[in-house]
Amino acid sequence: MAPTPALILVALVCLSPTIHGQPAAPQVPAIQRVRSENPLLSGTLVQGAERSTTFRRLIEAINATDGLVYVMEGKCGQGVRACLHMSLELSGKNRLLRILVTPRRAPGCELMGSIGHELQHALEALGNPNVRTSFGLSSFFHQIGPEGPRRFETPEAIQVGLRVEKEAC
């Protein structure tokens, strides 16, 4: 007895995963861990990633952590254009950090460089799994880059900021 067309179709459907491999699992979109609700700052994040390899690598590195970094407009004090705010909150399994920026004090490429500089600080903190509180965040930076009672700096962040500006502009 010869196989019928319906039997051939059933056999092909059953053998298809074996012949072509298993069907791909649906892709779950990755969480964008560096974000802004401010249109100007959000646009700067996109442009920075498009125009600067260093900026893009910072975002990729932060995306591989348990951190969420919000870039928002705000005042830092100390006469600086941007800063990593010394507060850290836990949100489920995520560590939440904020970068404050005064866009009018850092136009264009300076804004990208300033954000890149602060993203480096965020990455430095997120690279240490023991930094889980605001006090721990502050203590961490005063150990690795003290510059005064309420100020810190790291050579890496300075270099990153300059490199982002050079690449992006």
Side-chain angles (χ1 to χ4, degrees), residues 6 10 16 24 29 40 60 112 120 128 144 161:
V10 169
S16 181
L40 172 65
E60 290 169 355
M112 270 184 235
Q120 175 62 34
N128 184 331
I144 69 166

Side-chain angles (χ1 to χ4, degrees), residues 5-141:
L7 183 59
I8 293 172
L9 180 61
V10 169
L12 286 174
V13 169
C14 291
L15 290 174
S16 181
T18 305
I19 296 168
H20 296 98
Q22 292 299 318
Q27 291 287 351
V28 177
I31 295 173
Q32 189 62 27
R33 294 189 166 275
V34 178
R35 43 181 92 165
S36 181
E37 295 176 358
N38 177 304
L40 172 65
L41 298 175
S42 183
T44 302
L45 293 174
V46 170
Q47 286 179 3
E50 289 172 351
R51 294 164 50 180
S52 167
T53 302
T54 301
F55 198 97
R56 184 172 44 260
R57 286 184 182 150
L58 281 168
I59 290 175
E60 290 169 355
I62 290 170
N63 282 342
T65 72
D66 64 347
L68 295 172
V69 180
Y70 284 87
V71 180
M72 48 203 331
E73 188 167 351
K75 279 187 158 183
C76 296
Q78 308 274 334
V80 297
R81 301 181 284 223
C83 61
L84 176 64
H85 193 268
M86 286 291 103
S87 67
L88 186 148
E89 297 175 33
L90 297 178
S91 177
K93 61 182 179 175
N94 299 301
R95 293 182 284 170
L96 178 79
L97 296 172
R98 290 176 186 82
I99 292 174
L100 302 179
V101 183
T102 308
R104 70 181 179 285
R105 294 198 64 220
C109 293
E110 289 180 32
L111 181 58
M112 270 184 235
S114 294
I115 293 172
H117 176 106
E118 300 307 329
L119 287 173
Q120 175 62 34
H121 285 317
L123 184 58
E124 290 163 350
L126 294 169
N128 184 331
N130 297 320
V131 176
R132 304 206 55 82
T133 64
S134 296
F135 179 77
L137 180 66
S138 182
S139 296
F140 172 74
F141 280 110

Side-chain angles (χ1 to χ4, degrees), residues 154-165:
T154 64
E156 295 85 357
I158 292 170
Q159 290 304 311
V160 162
L162 294 171
R163 197 167 39 237
V164 166
E165 276 191 52

